[in-house]
Amino acid sequence: MRRTTFSSLTVAMTLAAALSVAAPASAAPTSAETAAPGRTEWVPAPTPPTDQPAGARCDFPIHTEPIVDEVVRQVLATHPDGKPKEIAYKGDLVVRVTNTDTDAFYDVDAGGSTIIEIGTDGSQLWHTIGPVLVGVGENNGNLPRGEYRIDGVHTLAISPTGYRTLRMVHGSTDDICRRIS
């Protein structure tokens, strides 16, 4: 129990420190010469709208579309081939999730701060504080199929095949499918 708590606090403190010392976009380095090796400036990271057919996430088809999107990202480190190894994301994000059969919708605050470690095999490890929106397919995660708002302090491991493993340190999950059924 103590080891888990220590690890959880370490992840939370590391993420908070990394995101709090990062300069806002207007104060970020403007050229490769002034940036730390492998680090880039903060740039917009727009969230595209998506459509999922019935059965993919919910029992009905859904459409997700940002209605507030002020997310920015910064590459913190790169692999030897120049591809991103660690990326930080922050900023306000509200996504409207709509049941396209009934037009029922729910606006999801998904503006958490995340550092994503990207493996050379395409795997990802998210270290997150605050809310994010995550879709899980049938038998493709340790959460049942659904579209979730995950809030709090957590990690999310995504395997090269897309399998999602959520490890909640402190927080909650909210199945958006239930809200708009």
Side-chain angles (χ1 to χ4, degrees):
M1 188 74 151
R2 287 183 183 175
R3 182 175 181 216
T4 302
T5 303
F6 177 73
S7 297
S8 303
L9 290 174
T10 302
V11 168
M13 290 173 22
T14 301
L15 180 59
L19 292 172
S20 67
V21 299
S26 61
T30 57
S31 71
E33 295 82 35
T34 59
R39 185 174 284 228
T40 62
E41 62 184 273
W42 288 100
V43 295
T47 300
T50 63
D51 290 288
Q52 296 289 333
R57 300 287 189 264
C58 305
D59 292 336
F60 42 85
I62 61 170
H63 176 77
T64 64
E65 186 161 352
I67 56 175
V68 174
D69 193 348
E70 298 174 5
V71 176
V72 291
R73 75 178 199 141
Q74 180 182 50
V75 174
L76 302 175
T78 56
H79 289 287
D81 65 1
K83 292 181 181 173
K85 180 178 179 180
E86 288 184 346
I87 305 173
Y89 290 87
K90 66 178 183 175
D92 292 338
L93 178 63
V94 177
V95 178
R96 177 162 290 167
V97 181
T98 304
N99 173 336
T100 59
D101 280 348
T102 65
D103 290 331
F105 67 87
Y106 186 73
D107 293 339
V108 180
D109 174 4
S113 297
T114 302
I115 293 178
I116 300 177
E117 298 175 30
I118 303 170
T120 56
D121 61 357
S123 62
Q124 298 180 11
L125 180 58
W126 298 22
H127 303 275
T128 303
I129 296 175
V132 293
L133 186 63
V134 175
V136 179
E138 188 71 39
N139 299 315
N140 204 30
N142 66 341
L143 290 172
R145 172 178 61 99
E147 190 76 14
Y148 294 93
R149 178 182 186 262
I150 303 171
D151 195 5
V153 178
H154 64 271
T155 60
L156 180 69
I158 304 175
S159 75
T161 62
Y163 190 88
R164 289 149 165 73
T165 303
L166 173 67
R167 288 197 171 83
M168 184 67 69
V169 175
H170 179 75
S172 61
T173 60
D174 184 7
D175 186 354
I176 305 306
C177 298
R178 290 186 183 167
R179 289 188 173 272
I180 59 174
S181 62

